[in-house]
Amino acid sequence: MATSYALCLFCNLTFFTCLASIMIGSSVITADSDLVERMCGRSCSRATSSDKFCKDALNSDWRTPGADATILAYVAFGLAHLNASSTQDQITSLLSNSTGPVRQHLEQCLLDYATALNNTEEALTDLDWEEFGRLTSFAATAWEQAKNCESAFNGTKSPLTDNNNNLFGLSEICVCISQQLIV
Ligand SMILES: *[C@@H]1O[C@H](CO)[C@@H](O)[C@H](O)[C@H]1NC(C)=O
Ligand SMILES: *[C@@H]1O[C@H](CO)[C@@H](O)[C@H](O)[C@H]1NC(C)=O
Ligand SMILES: *[C@@H]1O[C@H](CO)[C@@H](O)[C@H](O)[C@H]1NC(C)=O
Ligand SMILES: *[C@@H]1O[C@H](CO)[C@@H](O)[C@H](O)[C@H]1NC(C)=O
């Protein structure tokens, strides 16, 4: 999957480069930096995270400057995937030293994050095939897993609150961009 993703990214970048050299370069760049602004300023139905979170997250990737909506979707789902993956590792290491109810809550979170990872992976695969129809649903499912893990602790202090907030924010960005791709 990593290979096909890299390949497709290469195709997309090549395509974009051709397009950019055919059109007048600077006007393309201007239009596209507006895209991040527009995307992060949009209040998509679930949005709870800030503009700043959105811009910081998207701009942390080298592909973002001049990116079209498809590349931005790769960036957003890629960030959500990376985040979920590192949280999964963190949960595994927390589990090695937990007992009782905390252990049960962590086990629930491990399942939640496995589902979030599965859905962000499926989204990245669909992007490789330029299939945009299921992306919003994959993003929404990832969002729900963060919510599920947060409520697994049932009001007691969770060691994963920051992680869950990151996944909330990142999957909200994924929802926004996915909606943009199907309009
Ligand atoms: C997870 O996302 C947050 C917010 O974008 C970021 O600060 C953090 O570095 C990310 N962590 C990983 C491992 O990607
Ligand atoms: C396991 O948890 C106990 C109690 O919270 C702590 O004192 C200990 O350092 C932890 N061990 C590891 C390996 O994290
Ligand atoms: C995600 O889960 C579905 C249903 O269990 C499964 O069919 C699919 O292969 C999984 N995808 C990945 C990338 O693991
Ligand atoms: C959640 O906590 C409440 C009390 O704070 C308790 O009555 C309830 O059984 C707990 N639910 C779960 C699923 O642990």
Side-chain angles (χ1 to χ4, degrees), residues 88-181:
Q88 194 179 48
D89 293 345
Q90 195 179 327
I91 298 171
T92 305
S93 101
L94 286 169
L95 269 171
S96 72
N97 194 24
S98 312
T99 52
V102 170
R103 185 176 184 86
Q104 278 171 20
H105 302 333
L106 288 171
E107 274 165 356
Q108 179 57 52
C109 287
L110 198 60
L111 293 176
D112 297 335
Y113 273 83
T115 304
L117 271 174
N118 174 298
N119 277 261
T120 48
E121 257 168 59
E122 296 276 348
L124 289 166
T125 305
D126 274 14
L127 278 167
D128 284 347
W129 292 95
E130 298 193 30
E131 295 274 355
F132 303 137
R134 303 189 297 172
L135 296 180
T136 305
S137 146
F138 290 137
T141 302
W143 189 92
E144 273 155 23
Q145 304 316 304
K147 184 172 150 60
N148 217 31
C149 170
E150 194 56 26
S151 54
F153 279 80
N154 195 19
T156 63
K157 186 167 167 35
S158 164
L160 299 170
T161 299
D162 287 346
N163 303 68
N164 293 335
N165 285 336
N166 283 335
L167 186 57
F168 272 136
L170 294 172
S171 44
E172 278 168 2
I173 301 170
C174 293
V175 169
C176 285
I177 297 174
S178 301
Q179 287 175 351
Q180 173 79 18
L181 280 172

Side-chain angles (χ1 to χ4, degrees), residues 10-103:
F10 176 74
C11 299
N12 281 338
L13 282 175
T14 310
F15 175 69
F16 180 74
T17 310
C18 292
L19 202 67
S21 57
I22 292 163
M23 296 157 88
I24 307 297
S26 63
S27 72
V28 172
I29 300 299
T30 308
D32 288 333
S33 55
D34 285 351
L35 185 58
V36 171
E37 292 286 324
R38 269 210 322 280
M39 209 60 75
C40 291
R42 260 177 73 182
S43 50
C44 297
S45 52
R46 298 165 183 276
T48 58
S49 61
S50 65
D51 268 33
K52 185 179 181 307
F53 177 94
C54 176
K55 284 183 203 161
D56 287 351
L58 291 176
N59 287 327
S60 73
D61 193 291
W62 63 271
R63 292 168 293 181
T64 295
D68 62 12
T70 309
I71 301 287
L72 270 195
Y74 270 116
V75 170
F77 278 105
L79 287 169
H81 188 264
L82 190 66
N83 242 267
S85 169
S86 88
T87 298
Q88 194 179 48
D89 293 345
Q90 195 179 327
I91 298 171
T92 305
S93 101
L94 286 169
L95 269 171
S96 72
N97 194 24
S98 312
T99 52
V102 170
R103 185 176 184 86

